[in-house]
Amino acid sequence: MEKKSKVLKKLFFSTLYLSTFTFGGGYVIVTLMKNKFVDELHWIDEEEMLDLVAIAQSSPGAIAVNGAIVVGYKLAGLPGVLLSILGAILPPMIILSAISFFYDAFRSNLIVGTMLKGMQSGVAAVIASVVFDMGSNVVKEKDWLNIAIMAASFLISYLFDINVVLIIIAAAIIGAVRTLLRERKGAKA
């Protein structure tokens, strides 16, 4: 039981830390969660992390909270979910509460505005890193259908004004049909 309590404690402080020092939204936290839970703590393997991120992305709500939910559930069940959610939402709640008191001062401060503009470059770099890491894993598998889906999703999203949710649904349908076909082939063999 002590081991589970250590996992819960580490899970809470990991999500608290990630949420506190992550700027740029949910896609930035995906890379940091991978670094923490896959590379550093070795609680989850990389393929499993990709599956968990896919679940988090397809669920309604903030990806940082959804990611914390799926990782927390995977590692420690319902207690893991509750503590990882708490760790993920406490920093933004505290920061936003403090900012709301000083909103007028922040809004008109040139230094704060410039600093936030500069952070956008860092956010773009982190998102590019996530895309590269996840995309390179798809390419390494040499599964041409997955590569085609990835490339088509990017091109459709970039070139046309199609809602990303529709692209995700289409990719999910293709994946579900493909999985069903593979299972049927496996059952016949």
Side-chain angles (χ1 to χ4, degrees):
M1 196 59 146
E2 181 178 280
K3 185 172 181 141
K4 186 170 183 174
S5 67
K6 283 186 178 182
V7 169
L8 289 171
K9 183 179 176 181
K10 194 173 268 192
L11 180 63
F12 171 75
F13 284 111
S14 294
T15 54
L16 182 75
Y17 174 82
L18 291 172
S19 185
T20 301
F21 298 106
T22 301
F23 292 94
Y27 294 105
V28 174
I29 206 166
V30 168
T31 299
L32 299 175
M33 288 175 82
K34 179 201 169 286
N35 290 342
K36 187 69 164 176
F37 298 122
V38 175
D39 300 335
E40 183 182 324
L41 297 173
H42 305 291
W43 282 347
I44 303 171
D45 64 39
E46 193 163 336
E47 187 174 323
E48 206 170 20
M49 185 68 190
L50 289 173
D51 292 341
L52 295 176
V53 168
I55 292 167
Q57 287 177 322
S58 63
S59 303
I63 191 170
V65 175
N66 291 343
I69 289 170
V70 294
V71 169
Y73 185 78
K74 164 75 173 113
L75 296 174
L78 187 58
V81 168
L82 297 174
L83 286 176
S84 60
I85 288 173
L86 187 62
I89 66 170
L90 268 178
M93 279 181 26
I94 292 168
I95 292 168
L96 289 173
S97 296
I99 288 174
S100 70
F101 288 115
F102 305 106
Y103 179 72
D104 288 332
F106 281 130
R107 185 177 60 173
S108 60
N109 188 310
L110 180 64
I111 294 171
V112 172
T114 305
M115 197 168 73
L116 291 173
K117 288 274 187 201
M119 284 181 182
Q120 289 177 347
S121 300
V123 169
V126 172
I127 290 173
S129 174
V130 169
V131 170
F132 179 78
D133 287 346
M134 291 181 159
S136 64
N137 288 334
V138 170
V139 172
K140 283 179 190 174
E141 291 176 6
K142 296 183 181 174
D143 184 337
W144 295 106
L145 182 58
N146 285 344
I147 294 169
I149 291 170
M150 182 177 66
S153 298
F154 171 77
L155 289 172
I156 290 168
S157 174
Y158 185 76
L159 297 175
F160 304 105
D161 190 25
I162 296 178
N163 191 326
V164 177
V165 172
L166 297 174
I167 297 170
I168 292 170
I169 290 171
I173 290 170
I174 293 169
V177 168
R178 188 172 184 207
T179 301
L180 289 173
L181 291 175
R182 279 186 182 166
E183 286 179 1
R184 286 186 182 166
K185 272 187 181 177
K188 290 180 182 178

